[in-house]
Amino acid sequence: MYKYILDYCFGLVIFILSTSTAVSQVYPSAGTAWVINGQQQAATSPDWQQQFSSAHAVSQWEDNHADISIGGSYDQYEAEKTTQLGYMYSQKLDWKMGNKEQYLRHLMTLAQQDYETLFLHFQHDTKIEIPDNSHGHNTPLYGIPELVAIQQPSTLTRQGSIKRLNLPMEQPLTFIKNQTLYLFSSEKLTGLDIGFNGHKLNDSNITISYATRDITQNTLQYAWQPLITQPLSSTLNSRWVPPQHWPRVSISSQLSSQLGAQLQIKNARFFVLKITIDNPIKGLTINNLNLPRWYQFTEESGKHYVTIPGWDPVNDTNKDGYIDAHEYQQRPNTEASARLPYQARLIPLGRMWNEQSAMCYVNLFSAGNRTLLSDYLYQHWLGQGHQGAYNDSLYHIPNASQFQTVSGGQILELQLPVRQAGKFYWQSLSAFNEHLQQTNPRTWIGANISDLNLFSESGLQPLVTGFNFFVREDYIHPSLGLSQQRGLLQRWEHFLLSAQNKRSVLMAHMRKGGKVHWQGHSKANWQHDQTTNLAIFYLLNNPQLDFYQQWNNSFYYSSKNTTENNYYQSGVPLNVAYQPTAMLKHDIGKPIPAPTDYPAVHYVDARNNMIASSTDTQLTINNQALPITPSHWFYLHSQTANTLPWQQSKPPKVAVIARQYQQGLILYYTDHSGKNKTFGEQSTATFDLPGQYRRLNTDGNLSQIMNKITLTGYQGVILIPENKSI
């Protein structure tokens, strides 16, 4: 245990020394970011083939054209300039043990601690309504083993070859004499369900054994202890009491290299079964091989439900971690029917990601668990060259939306119903993240919150203190309105975050209106929307805190090449195509107060009630006065709805919202609700400017001098003053 503490402290010191104190900025007036870059490709477009003739060239360009990279990679290129940030899902561990799970279990084994204490469990049998989908269907949660391998017969001089089976089984497996099946599991098993096909099945016996020591090439045939032997049948349901001293065993590198990455993880150990059949008849086939299900699935009136069995330690009278038949009959808590603790884990069935998902919620209420997870993160970041990470699934926590309980729902470790747990879990998650930041203030601890207003509900407040940067996916789009839900006038929450020194990655997409969305991929449409999105970013920008990323109309990120479905030109590296590099190179300085005689913008709440001005330094929300960074937005033009004398003023129906920089003026012409195709395609208006300006074009060049400008609906522009003394 002392060695673990010393290793932890040493790793932490190295990580702190390896993290930088600040982020160097590529462009003069805007921070920039990549989101999940990777899978770089050489350009195939003739215009770009010479510059980007290899994936290495693309990676090198990316390293020189963004300040941070979140969740990404650079192929074989060693990134030197970009601050790299990884993923961090502190609230979950996977059933199928990967690097994180094996690392934690290894440390807990050394400290003689129970791995199961990392998880939250239902104390009572809990019935939940679930969506009708395939989430988790190819995992042990639905009876599919993690990994099964088959070994061919061995000879006196040569070990039989071994290979991994594809699961779930799509076709019968022919079984011959002296073949052997091996099943690898992260947890102890209580049985197997195997389907056979063949004649005179009763003439053959199946023996299922468990490994008692580490598996090397020499012990595949030895060191096994039988669990059960029985005759074959067409539907074989083998059951046994798991041995109390069933060890997790390691797999030799020679074997693991043949069976997949899951077995090659450092410190990887598994519970392993060996399945043999004596004298199998000719033509014997195995049709299916499944684990017994511990969940009960039902359908009622077209709705789908699952009952997760509860685990209560009072039922385990001999404290061996298994409820045997006698204990089950005599259990004090008859509402808890789990035989093993893992069967009661809080797992959001039907609300994960895909058929391979098997996520289990972590008990972050334990100080010991938080220390273990902190250690893992620091070691992982150090090994990956990361300076922190972000949580891309913040909404996945134990709460009423993840567990729509019909009955039960009590969490053993919290002694609260899961429907009430969300607020407390977020508090615990935020406390964990605060600890990470206090341990090393240079660490980036972030979360993807999209356009969620963290100040709109008191229950979300812990998230503000728990993270020091936020990913705002789909936060900007080229038809953003003023006062629709989360319109520009409700973006005051972003300036509340900046007043607390929170950094943000503001991501622009093309999926909610704009020229590209409405009229298709053309060079003119892309240049129009890229300019508009960058202008909106400059409206929101807090220098040194905010980072810009432009994407297409999807949520699939990479560094592959463009196609005809996501750009006007195929074969261009995605980030090269999307980033408005030439415009970003132009120095417009920092935001400054508005010119005189122009009205300030008033922010509104969700009910369109005015709550503060763009020049204010304090805003009151939920009866709490909070500091806010003045945006200094102003109206170059506004068309206000008529109101009666006793009515409160309302936001404009149409406006040009503006922001002044030391060497630039940002304009955006929009309407009340946004995403209005008619307004975007038909509205045109000319406005006087507060001086003489040149328009910044997408190629970085400047237009002729102008003192008036004509804008179309949902058009944003960046203007450069002819007189540089603004």
Side-chain angles (χ1 to χ4, degrees):
M1 188 63 180
Y2 291 112
K3 182 180 184 301
Y4 154 65
I5 294 173
L6 289 173
D7 287 347
Y8 166 71
C9 294
F10 178 75
L12 177 58
V13 169
I14 296 299
F15 175 76
I16 292 174
L17 292 175
S18 69
T19 51
S20 61
T21 56
V23 176
S24 59
Q25 190 163 295
V26 174
Y27 299 107
S29 301
T32 48
W34 304 134
V35 176
I36 318 181
N37 61 312
Q39 299 176 287
Q40 289 84 355
Q41 298 175 333
T44 58
S45 169
D47 296 337
W48 297 93
Q49 282 179 322
Q50 183 174 356
Q51 183 177 357
F52 299 108
S53 59
S54 66
H56 183 277
V58 176
S59 294
Q60 186 175 33
W61 184 92
E62 289 181 337
D63 190 29
N64 284 283
H65 287 81
D67 307 305
I68 63 174
S69 167
I70 60 174
S73 63
Y74 288 87
D75 192 47
Q76 302 298 316
Y77 179 79
E78 186 75 26
E80 299 175 350
K81 300 179 181 179
T82 308
T83 296
Q84 296 183 67
L85 309 171
Y87 285 113
M88 176 180 65
Y89 299 112
S90 303
Q91 73 270 40
K92 79 172 184 73
L93 291 170
D94 287 332
W95 175 278
K96 296 191 289 187
M97 299 181 68
N99 284 290
K100 179 180 180 180
E101 292 78 15
Q102 292 284 7
Y103 180 91
L104 294 173
R105 197 161 191 169
H106 174 67
L107 291 183
M108 297 188 79
T109 300
L110 293 178
Q112 297 183 329
Q113 297 174 347
D114 184 5
Y115 178 67
E116 199 61 34
T117 60
L118 279 173
F119 302 95
L120 293 174
H121 303 83
F122 283 118
Q123 189 174 7
H124 308 298
D125 296 351
T126 299
K127 185 177 181 179
I128 302 165
E129 183 181 347
I130 60 174
D132 181 19
N133 58 37
S134 61
H135 292 186
H137 282 207
N138 290 349
T139 72
L141 305 181
Y142 285 79
I144 305 300
E146 293 175 56
L147 193 155
V148 176
I150 185 168
Q151 186 179 34
Q152 301 303 320
S154 299
T155 66
L156 292 175
T157 59
R158 187 173 64 87
Q159 188 90 332
S161 63
I162 188 169
K163 70 173 183 178
R164 183 172 181 166
L165 296 182
N166 293 324
L167 298 173
M169 294 177 62
E170 297 180 353
Q171 58 186 16
L173 173 69
T174 300
F175 199 90
I176 63 175
K177 187 176 182 179
N178 294 328
Q179 280 185 328
T180 306
L181 291 174
Y182 296 94
L183 187 149
F184 301 81
S185 175
S186 294
E187 303 298 339
K188 290 182 180 180
L189 301 177
T190 61
L192 289 176
D193 295 330
I194 310 176
F196 291 98
N197 187 36
H199 301 291
K200 297 181 180 181
L201 293 175
N202 288 337
D203 291 348
S204 301
N205 288 328
I206 183 172
T207 298
I208 302 174
S209 308
Y210 69 95
T212 60
R213 68 172 187 250
D214 293 346
I215 296 177
T216 67
Q217 195 69 22
N218 296 324
T219 59
L220 270 171
Q221 303 300 325
Y222 305 98
W224 299 93
Q225 187 69 30
L227 282 168
I228 190 171
T229 298
Q230 60 190 124
L232 295 188
S233 63
S234 59
T235 302
L236 186 70
N237 304 119
S238 297
R239 298 293 183 268
W240 57 80
V241 174
Q244 185 174 356
H245 300 293
W246 186 352
R248 295 169 60 242
V249 300
S250 64
I251 319 297
S252 72
S253 58
Q254 185 176 359
L255 282 173
S256 61
S257 63
Q258 302 175 58
L259 298 178
Q262 188 181 4
L263 301 186
Q264 296 176 278
I265 295 170
K266 184 179 180 181
N267 299 314
R269 289 180 174 271
F270 295 88
F271 298 100
V272 184
L273 295 176
K274 182 173 75 169
I275 304 167
T276 58
I277 300 174
D278 65 335
N279 299 316
I281 62 167
K282 186 176 181 180
L284 175 68
T285 61
I286 299 176
N287 299 327
N288 55 72
L289 174 60
N290 297 312
L291 311 180
R293 292 191 182 185
W294 54 90
Y295 300 133
Q296 180 183 349
F297 294 93
T298 56
E299 183 176 352
E300 303 169 19
S301 302
K303 294 184 177 181
H304 298 264
Y305 300 89
V306 63
T307 299
I308 300 177
W311 172 262
D312 195 331
V314 301
N315 291 343
D316 185 19
T317 55
N318 64 0
K319 306 304 177 187
D320 67 347
Y322 176 72
I323 309 298
D324 60 31
H326 175 73
E327 289 173 321
Y328 191 85
Q329 293 299 324
Q330 302 296 324
R331 63 209 149 111
N333 182 2
T334 58
E335 295 181 359
S337 61
R339 296 299 187 104
L340 290 157
Y342 68 71
Q343 297 175 349
R345 290 179 188 172
L346 267 67
I347 298 176
L349 295 166
R351 293 182 172 86
M352 295 182 282
W353 287 281
N354 53 47
E355 62 274 5
Q356 299 293 341
S357 301
M359 57 176 284
C360 312
Y361 283 122
V362 173
N363 177 12
L364 287 176
F365 301 101
S366 161
N369 290 350
R370 294 196 295 269
T371 299
L372 277 171
L373 289 165
S374 297
D375 172 48
Y376 166 77
L377 288 173
Y378 286 130
Q379 296 288 346
H380 177 68
W381 294 338
L382 182 63
Q384 297 295 315
H386 294 163
Q387 297 190 28
Y390 82 111
N391 191 319
D392 198 36
S393 295
L394 188 61
Y395 302 138
H396 276 98
I397 64 166
N399 59 17
S401 63
Q402 295 288 293
F403 296 95
Q404 298 180 11
T405 54
V406 176
S407 61
Q410 183 86 346
I411 299 177
L412 174 66
E413 292 77 8
L414 192 56
Q415 288 300 294
L416 274 178
V418 68
R419 285 180 173 269
Q420 300 175 20
K423 174 182 177 181
F424 300 100
Y425 199 87
W426 262 333
Q427 289 173 353
S428 183
L429 178 61
S430 295
F432 169 70
N433 291 336
E434 285 185 81
H435 171 71
L436 287 173
Q437 296 175 52
Q438 291 165 1
T439 305
N440 181 9
R442 303 173 183 176
T443 306
W444 293 60
I445 307 296
N448 183 357
I449 60 171
S450 189
D451 60 359
L452 177 67
N453 185 334
L454 296 180
F455 303 92
S456 60
E457 301 176 23
S458 58
L460 299 175
Q461 286 291 313
L463 300 180
V464 179
T465 56
F467 298 94
N468 58 25
F469 87 96
F470 295 97
V471 178
R472 314 303 303 266
E473 191 173 31
D474 207 18
Y475 197 67
I476 296 171
H477 62 84
S479 64
L480 190 61
L482 289 170
S483 303
Q484 91 283 22
Q485 184 182 16
R486 297 168 185 160
L488 269 175
L489 301 188
Q490 294 183 31
R491 294 290 201 242
W492 45 265
E493 47 86 22
H494 176 62
F495 296 103
L496 286 179
L497 290 174
S498 69
Q500 298 187 32
N501 211 36
K502 307 294 183 181
R503 292 170 287 203
S504 295
V505 177
L506 305 184
M507 298 176 64
H509 283 70
M510 301 294 203
R511 52 185 295 272
K512 295 179 180 177
K515 298 291 187 184
V516 172
H517 181 76
W518 287 324
Q519 299 176 5
H521 299 292
S522 71
K523 183 176 182 179
N525 288 344
W526 264 93
Q527 289 180 341
H528 178 281
D529 287 356
Q530 284 175 306
T531 303
T532 295
N533 281 342
L534 181 59
I536 295 173
F537 169 79
Y538 278 134
L539 287 177
L540 297 161
N541 181 35
N542 297 282
Q544 303 302 318
L545 292 177
D546 293 337
F547 302 85
Y548 182 62
Q549 194 253 8
Q550 167 71 61
W551 199 242
N552 54 40
N553 61 352
S554 77
F555 295 123
Y556 299 99
Y557 307 101
S558 74
S559 301
K560 295 180 179 180
N561 289 336
T562 57
T563 70
E564 61 183 10
N565 296 319
N566 57 29
Y567 197 56
Y568 69 86
Q569 185 180 17
S570 298
V572 185
L574 286 166
N575 286 319
V576 175
Y578 296 156
Q579 187 188 78
T581 304
M583 301 183 79
L584 286 165
K585 288 179 179 178
H586 202 99
D587 188 357
I588 62 172
K590 298 179 180 180
I592 58 175
T596 57
D597 301 327
Y598 285 91
V601 169
H602 283 82
Y603 304 129
V604 299
D605 60 17
R607 298 179 179 177
N608 276 334
N609 296 318
M610 295 185 180
I611 57 174
S613 162
S614 59
T615 60
D616 289 343
T617 57
Q618 183 174 282
L619 181 148
T620 299
I621 189 75
N622 293 326
N623 298 318
Q624 184 179 12
L626 298 171
I628 185 170
T629 301
S631 67
H632 296 297
W633 289 355
F634 64 94
Y635 287 123
L636 185 76
H637 164 82
S638 64
Q639 180 182 337
T640 306
N642 294 326
T643 57
L644 297 173
W646 58 86
Q647 291 179 319
Q648 185 178 7
S649 298
K650 295 181 179 179
K653 294 193 299 182
V654 173
V656 176
I657 195 167
R659 193 184 195 193
Q660 189 166 232
Y661 278 68
Q662 292 168 320
Q663 301 166 51
L665 178 65
I666 312 302
L667 305 179
Y668 176 54
Y669 180 39
T670 185
D671 65 352
H672 181 275
S673 299
K675 295 182 286 188
N676 183 333
K677 184 177 180 181
T678 300
F679 178 80
E681 294 183 338
Q682 298 183 11
S683 181
T684 301
T686 301
F687 309 100
D688 292 327
L689 298 173
Q692 292 187 323
Y693 294 85
R694 297 177 186 267
R695 180 172 168 174
L696 179 62
N697 297 319
T698 54
D699 60 5
N701 293 322
L702 299 178
S703 71
Q704 296 295 316
I705 297 174
M706 63 180 77
N707 57 20
K708 296 178 182 289
I709 190 167
T710 299
L711 299 175
T712 59
Y714 306 127
Q715 184 174 15
V717 295
I718 301 163
L719 303 179
I720 309 302
E722 181 64 14
N723 182 352
K724 302 293 185 180
S725 62
I726 286 183

